[in-house]
Amino acid sequence: MTYIISDIHGCYEELMALLEKIGFCDEDYLFVLGDAMDRGPEPIRVIKKLMDMPNVTYIMGNHDDMMLKSMKTLAVDVTEENLKKLTADAIFSYQHWLGEGGDTTAKAFLALSKEERTDILDFLECAAPYETIEHDGCLYILVHAGIRGFAPDKELDEYDPFDFLWERTDYSRRYFPSDRIFLVTGHTPTPMIRNDWKPLIFKENGHIAIDCGCVFGKNLAAYCVETGQATYVASCQG
């Protein structure tokens, strides 16, 4: 089976419980729509777990991008050359990242060995800006947040990778004219999308939104492409 999860945000216990609940095994495949990092208690443990799984494709999220840019600049040896990279913009970006929940990630990341830090940064640097899945005549377009400057006749590789990281999707609008094309997103917690405010997957207008707000005390969800069914575990975050 093929599963999609998004916005784990350091919720390691919930991730492990969800993988167990869906019976995830070597024959299955998992797409993660970014944002393993920040806010929750164990972001580095989450990303290391995903890195150790051979049947995972990781898509870049905005929190991953902030972490990558900050730590590539700041988590380096103190040399005269590296100090020159500490521009006002780099320091501002770091402070912005911390303000967005990056402090838990930064503390755990800086406690790692240099080799471990390099492995994580390399992994994130290779993360895709988007992925596509075809199943049963349907096309699933997987991005973290949305598509900035969306045009239905524009090819995905014509967008800048940054276009997929921050844009809030308009879930009231069908983006692609075909009812066999689905835009699958995280980033925006589904209680903010659904009329009933429930922390469940939203599926309307050609959209499948799967960030059910785990780090905010709601649910972590896995969507199965083959069955169209969702599986949930409740958050441990108070």
Side-chain angles (χ1 to χ4, degrees), residues 32-46:
V32 180
L33 305 187
D35 279 10
M37 298 302 178
D38 302 348
R39 292 184 172 153
E42 298 184 280
I44 296 303
R45 196 175 181 193
V46 168

Side-chain angles (χ1 to χ4, degrees), residues 148-174:
R148 183 175 64 174
F150 174 79
D153 58 347
K154 189 173 181 178
E155 297 294 330
L156 291 172
D157 59 7
E158 294 181 56
Y159 293 96
D160 187 277
F162 193 80
D163 291 335
F164 303 107
L165 295 182
W166 288 91
E167 184 76 4
R168 294 287 181 188
T169 297
D170 182 355
Y171 293 98
S172 67
R173 167 192 174 197
R174 179 178 287 277

Side-chain angles (χ1 to χ4, degrees), residues 215-236:
V215 77
F216 302 113
K218 305 302 182 180
N219 290 328
L220 188 64
Y223 180 80
C224 180
V225 173
E226 288 82 359
T227 66
Q229 299 299 309
T231 304
Y232 305 93
V233 295
S235 174
C236 301

